[in-house]
Amino acid sequence: MRYSAFRVLQEALRGHKGWRPLWRDPEPQAAYDTVIVGGGGHGLATAYYLANTFKQSRIAVLEKGWLGSGNIGRNTTIIRSNYLLPGNEPFYEFSMKLWENLEQEFNFNAMVSQRGVVNLFHTDGQRDAYRRRGNAAILAGADAELLERDALRAMIPFLNFDNARFPVKGGLLQRRGGTARHDGVAWGYARGADRAGVDLIQNCEVTGFRIENGTVKGVETSRGFIGAKKVGVAVAGSTSRVMAQAGMGQLPIESHVLQAFVSEGLKPTIPGVITFGAGHFYISQSDKGGLVFGGDIDGYNSYAQRGNLPTVEDVAEGGMAVMPMIGRARLLRMWGGIMDMSMDGSPIIDRTPIDGLYLNSGWCYGGFKATPASGYAFAHLLATDRPHETAGAYRLDRFQRGTVIDEKGAGAQPNLH
Amino acid sequence: MLIPHPLLGLRDAQEFSYLGDASLLLRPDGMAENAAETFFPYVYLRENPAGLHRELWFHEQGDRSWLVVTRNTVTHEILGAELAGDVVARNRASRDGGDLA
């Protein structure tokens, strides 16, 4: 389907009866070469790159609900690549480069907007830590600028610079960071995958795996058995539930709920993405004008896609501490999503001990920015059986080998990452 | 969420801090020959159930006791709480029976 201003006008005059679905709704075939479990951002991106970049065929994506019905449809849409550790930073920078070319790649408006991400610091120690993080990012080919207080004030004058407890001393700015239209990302990948011949099968829940002699043969689903030579699982918060069906119920993963919020629409006021360094609060403004913000996960294991009020209060307090001007904006919506919190706060893209079964998980609450690289690296692994060069550290067995990638240094406690 | 503290009655979950799966009470013997093998799953692997979950909460803003709380992770309903010390004592009594926390 082609979009143009003329087409929009034409359809407006015809009562919008000419629009067609962007992808087919196929019946599942008896067998595929590769089955991706999970039709979210990462699963769809995987199918897209598998078919388009790695030229694989006979691919299906199985989704228990509708495409993009999980965390890709309920996040705060921030993209950035300002990580610290060598296992992470090249991967996220690779993801940023894919973001920068995403719309040209799949010819769909994902509204990638590099409006800048600034992480505020409030103490001298935090300035040093951010300087180090910025240098690590630059070493990996990303961009980073350390802004002192005056430069920051010129850019974002409305911050509470003289907060008695958390004075703003400056910020680490990544100009290439920003936001993207989360649903557009899923739709663009879905359409691109569908056009390349991938079967996107919705309302098809995986209920079991058929494993013979340690090799996966296919998946049992709510729409019958589907054979597969390779199965890739990318199901975020449902990882433990799905993998338990393959006998891998014990994983370095806990599922936690993260809440996010949108205010009523306001005139343009927040120039990019701003994160509060003393608490945990991050905010941007959508193109419709709503303030999109969030904070910490609730902190206890949860599969409920809703959180509790104490976290709402905590997020609101963080927002009021850093920019009191938003205090009179009314909250329009809030929601919760289930995060696959890993034991070191970093993801897993790896084979499993079962031949032909691959796992993509552990994204914690940073999975959105990773969507393109996650899909690319997972497709690389599924197609070649070798990890992508930027994802070599994301091994499932790194916990046993003691090579964890712990950005925060919080240890094996997922609710602290 | 309100946690039914066995000594103090219903208390707001905000008074507590959360640690995780109550299997952390079953700490392996660090001096054993196979300590590295037993500590890996103890430290890193979790059941992560959707449904009933037995988990450790610390009454940090209260009497500073550790509780084992039984909670449904799908609905957030709390079904009960007991002192972690009682659970440990029960585990010790039936260690050979293999009773889990």
Side-chain angles (χ1 to χ4, degrees):
Chain A
M1 175 159 331
R2 294 287 167 193
Y3 299 105
S4 64
F6 176 72
R7 183 76 199 277
V8 171
L9 185 67
Q10 195 181 31
E11 288 299 332
L13 296 172
R14 291 179 187 167
H16 292 285
K17 287 179 182 144
W19 303 114
R20 292 282 165 263
L22 291 185
W23 47 81
R24 298 166 293 131
D25 184 19
E27 284 297 310
Q29 295 174 27
Y32 292 92
D33 284 355
T34 309
V35 163
I36 316 279
V37 183
H42 291 217
L44 292 169
T46 304
Y48 176 89
Y49 290 113
L50 206 51
N52 286 289
T53 306
F54 296 96
K55 305 296 176 197
Q56 305 288 302
S57 55
R58 302 185 68 227
I59 304 163
V61 176
L62 309 183
E63 165 56 45
K64 73 174 175 183
W66 66 94
L67 296 182
S69 55
N71 296 336
I72 190 78
R74 52 179 74 223
N75 57 70
T76 46
T77 75
I78 296 167
I79 59 175
R80 61 182 176 88
S81 64
N82 53 0
Y83 279 69
L84 172 69
L85 297 179
N88 273 333
E89 178 55 20
F91 175 81
Y92 286 101
E93 175 53 21
F94 175 56
S95 198
M96 181 56 78
K97 290 198 170 73
L98 291 173
W99 279 117
E100 287 175 325
N101 199 37
L102 187 65
E103 288 154 336
Q104 291 73 21
E105 162 83 28
F106 60 31
N107 189 25
F108 197 88
N109 187 7
M111 292 166 70
V112 174
S113 167
Q114 294 181 292
R115 53 185 73 179
V117 173
V118 64
N119 305 124
L120 306 178
F121 54 78
H122 309 270
T123 65
D124 291 343
Q126 204 171 19
R127 177 193 286 113
D128 292 345
Y130 279 19
R131 192 189 298 277
R132 182 178 170 221
R133 182 138 69 101
N135 285 336
I138 290 167
L139 282 174
D143 64 308
E145 285 170 53
L146 201 76
L147 298 182
E148 290 298 335
R149 186 184 159 100
D150 290 343
L152 189 68
R153 196 191 275 270
M155 193 173 96
I156 318 173
F158 53 79
L159 296 178
N160 190 2
F161 283 89
D162 299 314
N163 184 315
R165 202 167 159 207
F166 309 118
V168 177
K169 298 210 163 188
L172 181 68
L173 171 67
Q174 184 180 25
R175 291 191 191 273
R176 288 162 65 238
T179 59
R181 169 87 171 98
H182 54 96
D183 288 325
V185 176
W187 296 335
Y189 277 127
R191 186 184 66 163
D194 178 77
R195 282 184 174 176
V198 174
D199 281 358
L200 306 175
I201 302 164
Q202 305 179 62
N203 300 310
C204 180
E205 183 172 5
V206 169
T207 55
F209 291 82
R210 188 175 293 176
I211 295 161
E212 292 169 11
N213 301 323
T215 304
V216 73
K217 298 291 180 192
V219 289
E220 306 285 351
T221 76
S222 54
R223 293 173 71 171
F225 174 77
I226 298 173
K229 290 176 187 159
K230 290 181 177 178
V231 178
V233 176
V235 294
S238 300
T239 299
S240 295
R241 273 200 281 196
V242 170
M243 294 304 283
Q245 296 164 359
M248 291 182 62
Q250 295 264 338
L251 286 170
I253 300 281
E254 282 183 8
S255 296
H256 286 254
V257 61
L258 174 70
Q259 303 187 65
F261 310 84
V262 172
S263 79
E264 59 188 331
L266 303 170
K267 287 187 177 177
T269 176
I270 294 184
V273 180
I274 300 168
T275 75
F276 181 36
H280 198 175
F281 177 80
Y282 37 92
I283 187 167
S284 65
Q285 188 168 17
S286 78
D287 290 352
K288 278 194 290 186
L291 305 178
V292 184
F293 56 97
D296 267 323
I297 53 176
D298 271 37
Y300 42 81
N301 288 45
S302 174
Y303 282 89
Q305 283 182 318
R306 60 179 175 79
N308 278 310
L309 289 172
T311 305
V312 179
E313 187 179 16
D314 186 64
V315 170
E317 283 171 353
M320 289 304 289
V322 70
M323 47 180 81
M325 71 166 186
I326 65 171
R328 293 173 69 182
R330 278 163 296 192
L331 202 61
L332 197 64
R333 288 184 291 131
M334 51 192 271
W335 62 91
I338 304 306
M339 311 292 124
D340 36 339
M341 301 298 296
S342 70
M343 284 289 169
D344 61 357
S346 294
I348 296 158
I349 304 177
D350 201 3
R351 287 180 285 239
T352 68
I354 299 163
D355 278 345
L357 182 60
Y358 301 76
L359 180 63
N360 177 326
S361 180
W363 294 98
C364 300
Y365 47 97
F368 179 71
K369 72 177 86 67
T371 303
S374 166
Y376 196 100
F378 201 34
H380 187 284
L381 180 70
L382 282 161
T384 66
D385 266 317
R386 284 179 290 110
H388 185 258
E389 58 182 350
T390 63
Y394 297 154
R395 297 280 300 274
L396 179 57
D397 66 355
R398 67 174 182 264
F399 304 93
Q400 194 157 17
R401 290 184 293 113
T403 53
V404 293
I405 315 164
D406 194 339
E407 285 274 340
K408 277 198 183 168
Q413 203 179 335
N415 65 345
L416 299 182
H417 285 292
Chain B
M1 294 190 294
L2 294 171
I3 293 177
H5 193 296
L7 305 176
L8 303 173
L10 282 180
R11 306 300 308 183
D12 193 323
Q14 281 302 95
E15 297 174 6
F16 294 78
S17 61
Y18 179 83
L19 183 63
D21 196 313
S23 64
L24 289 169
L25 291 173
L26 301 170
R27 188 183 174 85
D29 178 5
M31 303 307 287
E33 286 282 318
N34 62 344
E37 286 81 56
T38 53
F39 264 83
F40 159 62
Y42 170 76
V43 173
Y44 288 114
L45 299 187
R46 298 288 183 271
E47 200 82 34
N48 193 23
L52 291 189
H53 189 224
R54 287 172 64 77
E55 55 200 21
L56 287 164
W57 291 76
F58 178 51
H59 200 191
E60 196 168 16
Q61 309 295 326
D63 71 344
R64 304 187 72 76
S65 59
W66 281 96
L67 302 187
V68 174
V69 175
T70 305
R71 191 175 57 91
N72 188 328
T73 59
V74 177
T75 62
H76 295 166
E77 181 190 8
I78 292 177
L79 294 103
E82 52 188 325
L83 290 170
D86 293 349
V87 177
V88 172
R90 207 169 61 228
N91 286 344
R92 285 214 180 105
S94 61
R95 181 174 287 168
D96 295 332
D99 187 16
L100 290 177

